Each structure stands twice: as C-alpha cells, then as structure tokens.
Amino acid sequence: MASKHFSFIYIIPFLVIVILLFSSPSHSAYYTSSAPFRASAICNSTVDHYFCRSTLPQNVSWNQYDYSHYSFQQSLSTTRVLSFWMTKYLRRQWKLPISAIRALDDCKKLADLNTDFLSKTMATLDSLKSSLSGLQAEDLQALFSAILTNQQTCLDGLQFTSSAWNATSDIHSHLSNGKKMHSLSLALFTNAWFKQIKSGRQANEEWRNKWEGLARRRRIIHANLKGVVVNNSVVVNPNGSGDFTTITDAINAAPNNTDISNGYFVIFIAAGVYEEYVNVAKNKMNLMMIGDGINKTVITGNRSVGDGWTTFNSATFIVVGQGFVGVDMTIQNAAGAIKGQAVALRSGADMSTFYRCSFEGYQDTLYTHSLRQFYRECDIYGTVDFIFGNAAVVLQNCNIYPRLPIHGQSNEITAQGRTDPNQNTGISIHNCNIRASKELGGSTDGTMTYLGRPWKEYSRTVYMQSFMDSVIAPIGWDKWSGDFALSTLYYTEFNNTGPGSDTSNRVTWPGYQVINTTDAASFTVSNFIAGDAWLPQTGVPYTAGLI
C-alpha cells in the first residue's frame, strides 16, 4: 500500500521535473523553415486529438518543428517522473510481492532506457543546423517507436501483477499519460520530419559509403562471414582452455560504447552447454558472438511466468546493446509448455542480427521486443505466440516449427505488438519454411496452427514468398479477443507456396489482404529495416529485395 506521506527528499527532484515539464522549447535555427500555425491545426493529424490539444500550448503560434521539439521535452519529463516513481516503490521492496518487484524493476530499466533514447534524440536535433538526413530521420523514428514500445511493456507487466498488490494507481496514471505523450511525440515527429526521409535506397547508400570509408581492417573470422572488421577477440570454453569459462565474463571484458568503425569485439563460444542467463547490456555495443553450431553451443535457462518471472525478464538470453551479431548457437528456454510464457531470446538491440541460430521454447520463444532486427537461416520452435514483440524485424530463409502445445491450446506463430499507426514496426517473414515439428506432426489431437493473432491494436505481420505446409489452418489467422483489432491490424500474404498457403478460405477481416508486388516490396530487408545500410558490416548474407 502506498503511503500518503513521503519525505522531502522526494519533493526536490519532483519539483525540478515539473519545472522542466512546463518549459518552452529552445528555438534552434533549423526550426524556422515552416510557417507558424496554431496547435489545433497540427493536432488534427495525431492519434489522440483531445490529448494533443490539452498538451500543446494554445496561446502561441509556432511552426511544426517547434511543436515537435516541445513534445520531446514533455516526453523526457514524463519519463523522468516515471523513473522517480519506480525508484520510490523499489525502495520499499519489503512491502511488495516478488512479482511486483520484478515488474517494477523492468519498468525502471525501461524508463532509464527511454531517458537515454530521448536525450539522444534531443541532442541530435539540437546539434543540427539544417534538416535531418534520411538516415538520421529513420534512426530517430526507430528510437521513438521503441520508446513507445518500452512504455507499453512496462504497463503490460504491471497490469499482469496488479492483482498481487494495490499500490499501482498512481503509477498507472503516469504510465498512461506517458504513453499518450510518447504517441504524440511520435506523431509530431512524423509530421515534421518524415517527409524528409529519403527512399530506402538513397538512405542506405549514405550509410554504405560511410561504412566503406571507415572500414580498413577486414579479416575473415568465419567461413561464412566475409569482410568483417574485428577489433579484438576472445574465446569462451568451460574446460578452462580459453580466455573465459563463462559467456558473462567475456561480455564484461568487452569495451563499453564502442563505435562500429572500430570493429567488432568477437566472442568465440566453444561447444558445450552453458547454463547461464546472458545479458548484453546497452553499453556493450557491437559485440559478435560465434558458437560452434546449432545444438553444439547451447545456452539454456528455465525462467517462466509460471515460476513468478515477468515475460520480459524470463529470457535466457537478453540483448540490448546496439549492433549485436549472434552466429551458430542454440538459445533455449527449457521451462516447458506447462509453465506458460517463457522466453528464450529477447532482443531490444537496434541493428541486431542472428545467423544460423536456433531458438527453442514453447510459449513466447522469440521476443523481438523493439528497434530493427534481422534473422537469417535460423530455426524457431514454439507453440503460443512464439514469435512476438514490436520490433521492425525481418526473418529470412528461416525454419519455423510449431510444436505440440498443452492439450486444448492452439498454436499462433506470431503475436505482433504495434500500438500506434506511426510506429515503424512489424514482423516480415520472407522466404521461410513453416513445417510442423516432429512432435506436432506425429500428434493426432487436432491442434490448430495459425499464422498469427493481434496482440495489440495495430498489429502488423507479413508473410512473403514462404513455404507453408499443411500444418497451417485454412482460415490462416486467429482472433485475440472478439473483434479486437480486426479492422486496424495489417495482416498480409504475398506469393507463398505449399498446401497451407491457399488463401481462398482465409479470414475476411477488414485488416487482412493479399498484397501485390509493390506493397510487398515495402517489407523487404532493404526497405523495411534499411538493411543495406548496416547488414554488410556484419558479413551475414541477405537478400535485399524480393526473390
């Protein structure tokens, strides 16, 4: 239960935040490029018109960049307020159940991450004297999409545990207001700068030229990874013959906040079973982990919601550090189907890549949480919602294996979590193979397997040029609850093959459609995740467009 009285130590930072909340935007030179107008006009193009009008100043006449910058300041202020409340409650852990403590800890980490993202965004904008380049605008849109995702993740976790304690009403108020504020900031950013984003090909060319100009030291470190720039490398082997015996120790030894122009810090992981929970933190950037192969290098854990963990922190392997590359290893959550949500991998790392890896679990196996991600020639095993999250992610040339769930359950391959139409997020499954696992294929219990269901209101999932075996139900897609999101989701299929790809008996929801080549091209590696800009440096093969 929250106390009605708290010490003066809480009041000081709170007053500072309130002052920031009502401060005016700094008017950099580049904000004067568009004509001024009233807030009511710009609010017509946002998701929540009423919140926008009640938030933006009504007695000023700014241009669209001023309004956008003002909203960034408010987003940063509300994030600091949320972090303050998380800290307050975590200082009283003895009064809370363990499930609440874990949910609050998730929220504190996510709020701190959002503070970093917003500070980075504002620093980028304040440092410029001209409009954003296409790449800069894409990067910032990805960050704002992730900020909103982080806020929603916190809200989901607290709602899941709220029955265990009764002191969350004030936090929920801050979360709800913060979510609206971040949504407004994303909308205003999109209106002000999105039109400046160049085509994917132009933007990718900018990044590629930069990369080729910086990269000087190229080494072949793996038979299938060509032209990778390496800064340093270490070996993990549990028998003591390497530099480290645990993966965690090797990560801790990696330098902090490295730039990709200096090359990757490479961790070779010898064959073996590693019973440890791996966490690549936000300051461990541009790490590359290379195992000895699927089912040879195995990283395993068994945390689950059934045992009191949040979905977010149940993961065996967590990666947040930008530019991570994982190759030739198995990551599994061995909790079992009976334990409910149990994540093998959670990635919230921008421009992260996994190549020839296997992800094994049941419910919620692969958590593509946020930002831009790519998976190539990977195996994914699971049952309920086993590829989920709100990243902008492409899975290419992967094998997707629905497993045998608990009796009475159905399989949903995807549960995409887009909550706002301005987010750049979605799941693109391109040139993959979808087949029943051996256990499901040999079952006679009539388990239904669907391509996905809408976890959030603007859920977006695309299947392109993939093979679908008869395991896929003729109707194709499953509902979440009643008619929730059926008109706002975006579920599409394009030129798939196999007995499960027949679309003649698919759902007739307003948000479902079979798309053409032009629409499908929007969800390719080149266009959807700007892959030409950052995948060449990884050495991982990829197909930029449609096949």
Side-chain angles (χ1 to χ4, degrees), residues 63-83:
N63 63 39
Q64 58 184 341
Y65 303 105
D66 294 328
Y67 287 116
S68 183
H69 191 67
Y70 178 85
S71 74
F72 298 161
Q73 291 180 320
Q74 309 316 301
S75 281
L76 181 58
S77 297
T78 56
T79 298
R80 288 171 173 164
V81 170
L82 180 61
S83 181

Side-chain angles (χ1 to χ4, degrees), residues 26-34 63 65-66 69 125-126 193:
S26 58
H27 293 262
S28 300
Y30 71 99
Y31 289 128
T32 62
S33 60
S34 68
N63 63 39
Y65 303 105
D66 294 328
H69 191 67
L125 295 176
D126 286 340
W193 279 284

Side-chain angles (χ1 to χ4, degrees), residues 67-246:
Y67 287 116
S68 183
H69 191 67
Y70 178 85
S71 74
F72 298 161
Q73 291 180 320
Q74 309 316 301
S75 281
L76 181 58
S77 297
T78 56
T79 298
R80 288 171 173 164
V81 170
L82 180 61
S83 181
F84 164 78
W85 280 103
M86 296 302 123
T87 301
K88 174 188 173 183
Y89 275 106
L90 285 170
R91 285 174 178 168
R92 301 178 176 185
Q93 291 190 18
W94 68 91
K95 296 183 178 181
L96 300 173
I98 186 64
S99 59
I101 293 170
R102 287 170 175 165
L104 286 166
D105 187 59
D106 290 348
C107 286
K108 180 66 169 68
K109 291 175 182 175
L110 290 163
D112 290 345
L113 193 59
N114 277 355
T115 299
D116 290 346
F117 287 169
L118 285 161
S119 298
K120 180 179 179 180
T121 297
M122 296 180 70
T124 299
L125 295 176
D126 286 340
S127 68
L128 295 174
K129 300 302 180 183
S130 61
S131 61
L132 296 174
S133 72
L135 282 172
Q136 289 168 327
E138 285 201 29
D139 289 347
L140 295 185
Q141 189 198 25
L143 284 179
F144 260 107
S145 296
I147 288 165
L148 193 52
T149 298
N150 290 343
Q151 189 84 356
Q152 184 65 51
T153 300
C154 172
L155 187 59
D156 288 344
L158 286 178
Q159 286 177 337
F160 191 81
T161 63
S162 61
S163 61
W165 60 313
N166 57 2
T168 61
S169 59
D170 45 7
I171 293 179
H172 284 165
S173 175
H174 289 299
L175 280 169
S176 178
N177 289 335
K179 180 182 174 181
K180 292 177 182 179
M181 192 66 246
H182 299 329
S183 176
L184 175 59
S185 293
L186 178 58
L188 296 182
F189 172 82
T190 300
N191 291 336
W193 279 284
F194 193 80
K195 64 179 182 292
Q196 298 178 24
I197 297 180
K198 302 175 182 178
S199 70
R201 184 172 299 175
Q202 289 176 300
N204 293 340
E205 189 66 28
E206 287 179 28
W207 216 104
R208 184 161 53 247
N209 290 340
K210 175 185 176 183
W211 168 248
E212 290 176 352
L214 290 170
R216 294 291 181 263
R217 306 177 312 281
R218 298 179 183 269
R219 289 195 289 171
I220 296 176
I221 59 171
H222 185 282
N224 295 92
L225 301 177
K226 309 297 184 183
V228 174
V229 179
V230 179
N231 179 275
N232 199 357
S233 63
V234 296
V235 175
V236 176
N237 197 319
N239 68 11
S241 64
D243 300 290
F244 303 97
T245 58
T246 69

Side-chain angles (χ1 to χ4, degrees), residues 351-495:
M351 296 182 284
S352 56
T353 307
F354 289 85
Y355 176 46
R356 301 197 318 193
C357 292
S358 182
F359 308 101
E360 301 176 4
Y362 287 87
Q363 183 170 353
D364 291 2
T365 302
L366 177 57
Y367 195 173
T368 58
H369 180 261
S370 55
L371 295 164
R372 294 166 290 188
Q373 307 179 22
F374 180 64
Y375 297 77
R376 171 84 178 197
E377 297 173 35
C378 292
D379 300 336
I380 306 106
Y381 296 82
T383 56
V384 180
D385 305 336
F386 65 96
I387 302 171
F388 77 113
N390 197 27
V393 55
V394 176
L395 292 88
Q396 191 174 84
N397 294 31
C398 293
N399 298 307
I400 298 172
Y401 296 110
R403 305 178 77 172
L404 186 65
I406 298 171
H407 181 71
Q409 282 186 335
S410 58
N411 289 330
E412 291 84 17
I413 294 173
T414 65
Q416 206 281 325
R418 188 165 170 252
T419 61
D420 191 288
N422 289 308
Q423 288 181 301
N424 70 329
T425 55
I427 298 173
S428 175
I429 296 178
H430 184 210
N431 196 33
C432 293
N433 294 301
I434 304 165
R435 294 184 170 90
S437 64
K438 290 182 179 179
E439 58 185 296
L440 179 61
S443 171
T444 59
D445 75 347
T447 297
M448 301 294 288
T449 297
Y450 301 94
L451 297 172
R453 60 175 180 165
W455 181 27
K456 301 297 181 183
E457 188 173 5
Y458 294 94
S459 184
R460 181 161 64 173
T461 302
V462 179
Y463 284 83
M464 309 189 301
Q465 300 178 315
S466 294
F467 175 83
M468 301 178 182
D469 211 343
S470 57
V471 67
I472 301 300
I475 199 172
W477 304 82
D478 197 12
K479 295 181 179 181
W480 185 269
S481 177
D483 61 358
F484 171 73
L486 301 188
S487 61
T488 51
L489 59 78
Y490 184 81
Y491 283 172
T492 68
E493 300 180 53
F494 171 75
N495 278 11

